[in-house]
Amino acid sequence: MSFLGLDLGTSGLKVLLTDDEGEVIGQADHAYPVSHPHDGWSEQDPADWVAALQNAVAALRAVHPEFDYLRGIGVSGQMHGATLLDKSGAVLRPCILWNDTRSHAQAATLDGDPTFRRISGNIVFPGFTAPKLLWLRDHEPGVFARIAKVLLPAAFLNHYLTGDPVGDMSDASGTSWLDVQSRCWSDDLLARSGMAVAQMPRLVEGSVPAGQLRTELARDWGLRHTVTVAGGAGDNAATACGLGLLDEGAGAVSLGSSGVVMVARGACTPAPQTAVHTFCHALPGRWYQMGVMLAAADNLNWLAKLVSMPPQALIAELGDVLRPPGPVRYLPYLAGERTPHNNPHLRAGFAGIGARSSRCDMTRAVLEGVCFGLRENLEALRATGAAPKRLHAVGGGARSPYWVKLLATVLGLPIDVSAAQAGHGAALGAARLARLAATRATVADVIVQPHDTYEVLPAAEHVAVFEEAFTGFQNAARAAGDSAASLLPSD
C-alpha cells in the first residue's frame, strides 16, 4: 500500500508518497502564483491548485510504480481562504487568501460582538474567513448572492477529489464560524455574519474518512484499489502530525512564508485577549494554540528580490558563526500583524541605516526582526499557560543553520531540526492522516516523532545582548502600532 500527502501551500503544492510503514517513497513540488491586485490583497486561482495536483501526480506516476497501489490521500491546506462555489459547483472568483487584510473593518465589526470570541475562542482577525464574506457582501454583492458553498483551500481539494464538499475541524477553526470547544459549526455565528450552515462543508475529524476518490480520477491515475480520502487538516495541525506533536507542551516554530509558534494542548483553553489562536487539532479530543506572524521568511524573500540575489546567498554572506545584534533594526510587518498586535495597518521598516550600512547589515536585521517577532509569539503563548521546553523548527528557513541558531538564542530554547522534514512536515502529516483513515493503524504507531533530528542550543555568549535587543524591538513595535493608523492614506 501507498499513501499520498498533499500540502496546499501559499507558494505551491508539496506532495509526498509514503509506504505502509510511513517511509517516504517520493515527492513532487509544483509552484503557482499569488495575485496582489491592491495593497493588502492576496488571491489565488483554485484552477492553479488542481493543475498543480495533476502535474505532481503525473511526476510521481512516472518514476514510482508504488503509486499504482495508492490506498489513501490526505490534504493539508493553507488556512482561512475563502473559495466560493455557486450551486453548480463552479468557482465564482479567485480565492481570498489567509494573508489578505482588506476586510479589517468587517473583522472589527464582528470582533466587536462578544459572541464571536466566546464561541469561536478567537479574535476575529482580518485574515479569517468570516470577515471576507462580509466584505464580499459589501463590495461584490452579485458574487455574494450566488454563493452556495464556502470552502477552505483544503476542503476545495477534498471536494475535487471526492465530489463532496467536506472539511475538517482543525481547518474550520480559523473561519470564526466554528464552536471550537464543541467541534461543530455554530448556527449563531453563521447567522451573525449573514451565512447559513447549508453553505458550509460537512465536517469530519482529520484522521477519519471524508470520502472515496472519484472513479474518474482513480481511472485516469491508473489506480488498482479503492482510495480513501481523509478529513485532512489545516497546515499547522498537519505539520504537528508530521512531527508527532500531540501531547501537552509539545511544540514547533515555523520559518515559512508566515511565522508560527504552536503548542499542543490537552484541553480547549481559549485566551483571545492574547491574540493567540486556539484551534482544534487534527485528531479527536485534542487542541493546539499558536501565535502567528503574517510574514516570516517572506521578509527575506522581499529583501532578496530587492537586491536581486537568492535568499540563501544573502544568508551565506553572514558566515557560519552567529553574530550579536547588528546596528540596523527591522520590523517584519510587510502585511500587518496578528499575534500579539492584531493590527492590519502595521508595516515593515528599517531603522539605524547609515552611510556605512551594508547589505549584510540589512540581512542580519531582517533575520533578527523575524526572530524577535516569533519571540513575541512565544511570550503570548506563555501568557495562556503553555510551557514548551523545546521547539521543532520547520519551514524553508529551518534549512539555514545560521537562522536556526539565531532563533534558538532569541527564544532561549533548544531547537530540534529534522533535515528530511524541514520543508515537508505538513505533507507528511497529511499522508499520516490518510494512513489512519484508510487502515486500522493506531495513532501511537503512525503519529511519531522524527528519528533524524539534531539539537541546536542557544548561543550562551549572546543570550543577554539579544534579550536587550528584544526589549528594544518590543518598544519599536509598540510605537509603530500607535502611529500606523495615522500614517495611512485617507481613502
Side-chain angles (χ1 to χ4, degrees), residues 146-357:
R146 297 172 58 200
I147 296 172
K149 289 290 180 184
V150 180
L151 301 182
L152 299 163
F156 175 82
L157 270 195
N158 280 349
H159 178 254
Y160 175 75
L161 293 168
T162 67
D164 184 13
V166 57
D168 93 294
M169 285 76 165
S170 71
D171 211 9
S173 298
T175 61
S176 294
W177 292 320
L178 192 80
D179 182 331
V180 173
Q181 173 74 56
S182 300
R183 305 173 82 94
C184 63
W185 294 121
S186 167
D187 290 325
D188 191 358
L189 296 184
L190 286 163
R192 288 170 186 264
S193 48
M195 305 300 292
V197 72
Q199 294 172 296
M200 299 297 109
R202 178 172 61 89
L203 293 181
V204 298
E205 295 285 357
S207 57
V208 307
Q212 293 183 349
L213 186 66
R214 289 189 289 127
T215 302
E216 54 269 37
L217 282 179
R219 181 191 64 239
D220 293 345
W221 293 355
L223 300 177
R224 298 170 180 261
H225 303 287
T226 299
V227 177
T228 299
V229 177
D235 49 5
N236 292 295
T239 296
C241 290
L243 296 171
L245 305 178
L246 297 181
D247 297 330
E248 174 73 32
V253 55
S254 174
L255 283 170
S257 299
S258 62
V260 173
V261 183
M262 70 159 294
V263 179
R265 305 305 303 267
C268 184
T269 56
Q273 71 279 3
T274 65
V276 162
H277 303 41
T278 301
F279 290 165
C280 301
H281 211 319
L283 296 169
R286 298 174 187 266
W287 289 262
Y288 70 96
Q289 289 180 305
M290 66 178 178
V292 175
M293 295 178 65
L294 290 177
D298 269 354
N299 288 279
L300 182 63
N301 296 335
W302 166 80
L303 179 63
K305 183 177 179 180
L306 197 67
V307 300
S308 301
M309 286 182 64
Q312 300 88 339
L314 287 177
I315 297 179
E317 289 184 327
L318 302 181
D320 298 327
V321 179
L322 181 65
R323 307 183 189 189
V328 180
R329 297 287 187 263
Y330 179 73
L331 295 178
Y333 307 128
L334 290 175
E337 192 55 296
R338 285 201 198 161
T339 312
H341 303 288
N342 186 28
N343 189 337
H345 305 303
L346 276 173
R347 288 296 179 267
F350 287 98
I353 292 178
R356 299 183 62 185
S357 297

